[in-house]
Amino acid sequence: MNSSIHRARDRLRRFANDRRLRELAGQVRAVPLDPTLKPVIFFNASTRLGGISQNAGFATLSAMALRLRGAPVHFFACRKGLHRCTLGVMMRGPGRPPPCRTCIAQAEAIFAAAPTTWFEFKSNPALAAALAGKTVPELKAVDFDGVPLGPLTLPSMRWSLRVHHLQDDRTTRGLFRSFIQSAYVVVRAFDRMLEAVEPETVVVFNGISYPEAAARWAALRRGVRVVTHEVAHQPMTAYFSDGHVTAYPVSIPADFELSPAQDARLDAYLEERFQGKVSMAGLEFWPEMHGLDRELVDKIAAHKQLVPIFTNVVFDTSQVHANVLFDNMFAWLDQALELIRAHPETLFVIRAHPDELRPKSYKQAVEKVDDWVAANRVRELPNVVYIPPLDYVSSYDLVRRARFVMVYNSTIGLEAALLGVPVLNGGKARYTQVDCVHLPESAEAHLETARGFLAAEAVEGPPGFVRAARRFQYYQLWRTPIPFDEFLSPHDTRGYVNLKHFQAEALAESTALRVICEGILGRGDFLMPEK
């Protein structure tokens, strides 16, 4: 009964949201076009199926705000154009077609404000023949008709299957071929749209999911500017960038210093964060948090020093940028295991990322740190404590007791730097673009740096690291996140949103949407003004 009531409420909310979208679209379309402005194309096929996800909401309202400024807006949309899509695979498995009917119905409501070019799937016999019989390693490198289809689809394969290491089996090969053929459909259809519309700018969701990655590639090949967007680091906020948004490029003026009021604002946020009050994209990572138990405290005291090791999830879109020293996170863990065995005087605490086994979600890792720990018999080592994903022990309590911290590219690295604890990164992270952690140039240099830290009497970060971390965190929290909470409210389904009641002119008057529109039109930097 509860499930039936939930589904009924969900349908009613979806109906109300879609009706509001169409009402707003009618108001938006009534505004005359500015003949001096060139078109902007929006594409976000990977952000939702039914309902309005946060990213779909961000793009839709941004497109409406642009149109209210007179800018010609065009949508590019999928009408059974993908043989397999990432969210369809996540929901239904790789062997079943995606729920196109639901998705198309939702798209028709979302894209009502502007002209839409729909694309449909049509198999290319020459490409199908070229893919036949190829192994997964061969599919990773596929280049057809000058399009690097293997590299464009590989991140989505890993994300959809929740692994880094793809199995060379029938199911994986079949899904990979579907993604590659679908990406080729996107490239060709988007290329035709680019030629017809001649846009000034293309705006796509994250640029990593394969449909958007294919469209981004097609646009950049023609010299068309591409803006990417993703959820940001505050609730109900978006991040837009001319760069690859999942790498989080941020330009902070060299002379920027936090004022006393800004320092106080950041300290208040960090106090909450260090209590585990963490959310992103509608997801609460820490439903609870507890301190270190007596057994762990005693074990720390029995060793010379403590080194926490914080992992990430290997299928995350950030891993495209992270794997610069090591091929993947597990190769980094293999090196860490060498250090563990060579330094029995040191207690190493391996902390698995809480998102690896996201509760009540189909978005859980298949290739897990749990499995690596079991395969390497890590629990048998006397100087290791393993904390699994759903053990909500405070990572910050570990950091505060640490000699130094080892991370791959998780946010905890930045937070440790903010606490003044030295950090050794094994992967590139969004915060490694500023000098606040140690990121060696190679896997070999990483090993030597770790050995040096373990042997040293004391490990101290350069005095500028904390300052750099605070400057970056302030920008990441209050300058780059663009708030949509005046227009969107959380949905019962995590990651989805409801539309609030407002008239279209509110979009034109919004400071947040002005920042986005000015950025898309090339007149701004996608930074919120300082309050």
Side-chain angles (χ1 to χ4, degrees):
M1 179 63 71
N2 288 338
S3 178
S4 299
I5 292 172
H6 177 79
R7 286 195 298 269
R9 287 176 177 170
D10 190 52
R11 283 194 297 269
L12 287 172
R13 286 195 183 105
R14 186 179 300 175
F15 176 80
N17 280 330
D18 290 353
R19 183 178 62 186
R20 291 284 299 120
L21 284 170
R22 290 189 169 93
E23 289 172 355
L24 289 168
Q27 298 170 33
V28 168
R29 287 196 305 266
V31 175
L33 293 173
D34 184 340
T36 67
L37 296 177
K38 294 187 68 175
V40 178
I41 296 175
F42 281 79
F43 179 43
N44 52 26
S46 302
T47 59
R48 44 105 206 120
L49 292 170
I52 308 173
S53 70
Q54 285 196 46
N55 277 302
F58 299 157
T60 302
L61 296 182
S62 298
M64 287 183 177
L66 272 175
R67 183 64 185 79
L68 288 167
R69 284 166 171 76
V73 170
H74 291 257
F75 292 113
F76 185 65
C78 175
R79 191 189 297 275
K80 296 186 178 181
L82 306 174
H83 190 254
R84 295 289 186 273
C85 66
T86 53
L87 289 177
V89 170
M90 292 294 298
M91 287 185 63
R92 295 185 163 192
R96 297 181 61 193
C100 294
R101 182 177 178 181
T102 299
C103 184
I104 292 168
Q106 185 63 67
E108 288 172 343
I110 287 177
F111 301 142
T116 302
T117 296
W118 299 86
F119 67 96
E120 298 183 3
F121 182 82
K122 184 177 180 181
S123 179
N124 182 291
L127 175 56
L131 298 177
K134 287 193 182 299
T135 64
V136 164
E138 290 169 335
L139 291 169
K140 290 179 182 178
V142 163
D143 188 297
F144 180 80
D145 198 18
V147 185
L149 295 168
L152 284 173
T153 53
L154 179 58
S156 288
M157 284 293 297
R158 288 173 169 155
W159 190 90
S160 299
L161 298 177
R162 318 310 271 179
V163 299
H164 176 85
H165 296 96
L166 300 175
Q167 298 296 312
D168 190 11
D169 56 27
R170 181 179 178 180
T171 298
T172 305
R173 290 192 296 268
L175 182 62
F176 215 155
R177 287 194 296 268
S178 289
F179 277 14
I180 287 173
Q181 291 180 84
S182 300
Y184 187 70
V185 168
V186 172
V187 168
R188 291 297 167 230
F190 201 71
D191 201 51
R192 289 191 295 271
M193 185 177 184
L194 291 169
E195 187 172 355
V197 174
E198 297 183 345
E200 179 76 26
T201 303
V202 168
V203 181
V204 300
F205 164 65
N206 88 15
I208 298 294
S209 297
Y210 85 80
E212 291 78 12
R216 179 177 182 271
W217 183 89
L220 292 176
R221 182 175 62 167
R222 283 181 170 264
V224 177
R225 174 174 173 245
V226 179
V227 170
T228 57
H229 66 89
E230 253 284 11
V231 294
H233 295 276
Q234 293 277 31
M236 212 61 72
T237 63
Y239 174 53
F240 283 70
S241 174
D242 276 280
H244 234 146
V245 68
T246 51
Y248 220 92
V250 178
S251 179
I252 303 174
D255 61 351
F256 170 68
E257 297 291 345
L258 272 69
S259 68
Q262 290 168 335
D263 268 322
R265 187 183 192 188
L266 179 56
D267 287 339
Y269 168 85
L270 293 175
E271 183 178 356
E272 294 239 323
R273 175 90 182 185
F274 294 156
Q275 294 174 27
K277 298 175 182 178
V278 181
S279 69
M280 187 173 178
L283 174 68
E284 295 285 342
F285 285 119
W286 300 93
E288 60 181 275
M289 182 181 285
H290 59 84
L292 310 185
D293 61 32
R294 173 51 56 187
E295 182 180 359
L296 180 53
V297 170
D298 290 344
K299 198 158 190 175
I300 293 171
H303 288 78
K304 175 184 175 183
Q305 55 199 358
L306 168 66
V307 177
I309 300 174
F310 295 99
T311 68
N312 209 315
V313 282
V314 291
F315 52 81
D316 187 75
T317 53
S318 68
Q319 301 305 288
V320 175
H321 314 291
N323 300 330
V324 292
L325 278 66
F326 298 88
D327 177 69
N328 62 84
M329 186 190 74
F330 289 110
W332 168 73
L333 281 173
D334 288 340
Q335 187 187 93
L337 191 56
E338 291 182 41
L339 292 166
I340 291 168
R341 289 173 171 153
H343 291 272
E345 79 289 349
T346 301
L347 180 65
F348 294 85
V349 176
I350 300 174
R351 179 75 174 85
H353 196 284
D355 204 29
E356 192 172 85
L357 290 177
R358 187 183 299 187
K360 299 179 182 179
S361 171
Y362 52 80
K363 295 181 179 180
Q364 295 189 359
V366 173
E367 188 176 11
K368 303 184 289 291
V369 173
D370 264 352
D371 300 329
W372 178 87
V373 166
N376 289 281
R377 303 172 72 172
V378 171
R379 283 190 170 95
E380 297 177 15
L381 298 171
N383 63 326
V384 176
V385 172
Y386 172 59
I387 300 176
L390 301 185
D391 185 344
Y392 299 119
V393 64
S394 171
S395 295
Y396 308 113
D397 285 357
L398 291 171
V399 168
R400 292 185 181 96
R401 293 170 178 264
R403 166 65 65 92
F404 68 97
V405 171
M406 293 176 65
V407 305
Y408 197 61
N409 70 317
S410 177
T411 300
I412 192 68
L414 175 63
E415 294 167 334
L418 287 163
L419 289 168
V421 178
V423 179
L424 176 60
N425 267 63
K428 188 177 180 181
R430 61 183 181 276
Y431 51 84
T432 57
Q433 62 190 288
V434 300
D435 289 329
C436 65
V437 299
H438 298 273
L439 179 66
E441 294 182 354
S442 66
E444 294 76 16
H446 181 275
L447 181 60
E448 289 306 309
T449 301
R451 286 171 173 166
F453 284 178
L454 288 165
E457 286 298 318
V459 181
E460 296 181 1
F465 273 22
V466 173
R467 170 183 174 271
R470 291 182 67 85
R471 293 168 77 247
F472 180 84
Q473 183 72 312
Y474 190 87
Y475 259 67
Q476 181 178 246
L477 291 173
W478 292 294
R479 298 300 307 278
T480 58
I482 303 175
F484 278 78
D485 54 348
E486 58 183 312
F487 306 111
L488 303 174
S489 61
H491 192 281
D492 288 346
T493 302
R494 291 180 299 188
Y496 279 71
V497 294
N498 293 310
L499 282 172
K500 292 183 176 180
H501 290 280
F502 57 89
Q503 297 300 308
E505 53 261 31
L507 299 173
E509 297 166 358
S510 164
T511 298
L513 284 164
R514 177 185 58 78
V515 168
I516 291 173
C517 290
E518 292 297 301
I520 291 173
L521 296 174
R523 304 168 183 166
D525 51 14
F526 296 113
L527 293 176
M528 287 296 293
E530 187 61 64
K531 291 183 177 180

